[in-house]
Amino acid sequence: MPGYKLAIDGPAGSGKSTISSIIAKKLGWTHIDTGAMYRAVTLLAIEFHIDLNDEASYRFLESVQIHYDNNRIYINDRDVTEAIRTEAVTQNVSLASSFPYVRQKLVELQQIAAENGNIVMDGRDIGTVVLPHADLKIFLTANVEERAQRRYKENVKKGKQAHISQVIEDIVIRDQKDSTRKESPLRKASDAVELDTTFLTIDQVVNKIIELTDKKEINHGV
Ligand code: CDP
């Protein structure tokens, strides 16, 4: 069954994963967090002590399985959901995900994972590259201060120490790297609906997207 494909893209801290996960739960759909997959590759690269700047060193991907299931991310059978959130991973993920080889490997896995059923997939290139024919494409934004505040609060909740100015700097650097890289940079697909979430609550964003999903389904039937 092909099913409905919902693509959600946006910069760091725009709320993609949180929103996607809630929508999937509410609608009984499958959520795939592609950022978690790039983070898993980065975690392994760090653990293997490879030269992170050398694309050929990422060939270890030929012999590992990375998959996202039910809000958890796995490398083979190892659950790395918490391990991928460290500072070291965050600081190196934009580099690891800039290599065409790494992207090609993960995009392939993402497209296979999205083949069947109703899917909410979030990332940076879902509407442009991974699911160019998605039924609905959303591009989530929020101003950088708001995005940093959200990330800061998340960190504090998890007991992580970080100064707000450091969080802002991390986000600005990552946005810059993600949107200027040669391979599949972060950008809004021409047919995506842009949603500025700066002054919206999570519930408001979720409801707005579900509303758009309904509209699209109705339009499809016409
Ligand atoms: O921290 P945040 O949740 O905003 O980011 P993420 O969704 O976990 O993604 C981490 C990083 O993976 C991004 O900064 C990008 O460098 C990369 N990424 C990508 O290149 N393409 C995707 N489809 C998803 C993530």
Side-chain angles (χ1 to χ4, degrees), residues 2 27 38 51 58-59 73 77 89 129 144 153 161 217:
L27 301 179
Y38 285 97
D51 174 359
Y58 290 84
R59 293 265 159 205
I73 177 88
D77 288 333
V89 172
V129 176
V144 73
K153 282 183 197 153
Q161 302 273 327
E217 268 173 346

Side-chain angles (χ1 to χ4, degrees), residues 39-83:
R39 284 175 176 272
V41 171
T42 311
L43 174 68
L44 266 186
I46 293 170
E47 288 180 348
F48 288 161
H49 300 290
I50 66 157
D51 174 359
L52 295 173
N53 287 290
D54 175 28
E55 183 170 12
S57 306
Y58 290 84
R59 293 265 159 205
F60 64 77
L61 285 177
E62 297 299 324
S63 52
V64 292
Q65 276 195 330
I66 289 175
H67 82 117
Y68 188 83
D69 183 32
N70 206 11
N71 284 330
R72 314 291 302 174
I73 177 88
Y74 300 88
I75 298 173
N76 297 327
D77 288 333
R78 175 181 160 212
D79 185 335
V80 291
T81 310
E82 275 79 37

Side-chain angles (χ1 to χ4, degrees), residues 36-152:
M37 297 171 80
Y38 285 97
R39 284 175 176 272
V41 171
T42 311
L43 174 68
L44 266 186
I46 293 170
E47 288 180 348
F48 288 161
H49 300 290
I50 66 157
D51 174 359
L52 295 173
N53 287 290
D54 175 28
E55 183 170 12
S57 306
Y58 290 84
R59 293 265 159 205
F60 64 77
L61 285 177
E62 297 299 324
S63 52
V64 292
Q65 276 195 330
I66 289 175
H67 82 117
Y68 188 83
D69 183 32
N70 206 11
N71 284 330
R72 314 291 302 174
I73 177 88
Y74 300 88
I75 298 173
N76 297 327
D77 288 333
R78 175 181 160 212
D79 185 335
V80 291
T81 310
E82 275 79 37
I84 60 165
R85 299 287 159 193
T86 60
E87 204 41 41
V89 172
T90 301
Q91 277 174 8
N92 289 294
V93 64
S94 292
L95 173 62
S97 61
S98 68
F99 296 114
Y101 167 74
V102 172
R103 302 205 70 82
Q104 182 217 317
K105 275 278 160 214
L106 292 196
V107 168
E108 208 176 286
L109 288 179
Q110 291 155 10
Q111 288 175 333
I112 292 170
E115 254 167 22
N116 293 308
N118 300 313
I119 305 286
V120 188
M121 188 176 275
D122 78 279
R124 302 289 190 288
D125 59 344
I126 311 307
T128 51
V129 176
V130 183
L131 301 175
H133 305 297
D135 295 280
L136 177 66
K137 299 177 185 179
I138 303 289
F139 195 79
L140 286 186
T141 61
N143 70 31
V144 73
E145 289 77 16
E146 173 62 22
R147 291 189 283 126
Q149 277 294 342
R150 291 175 188 170
R151 190 51 46 98
Y152 177 74

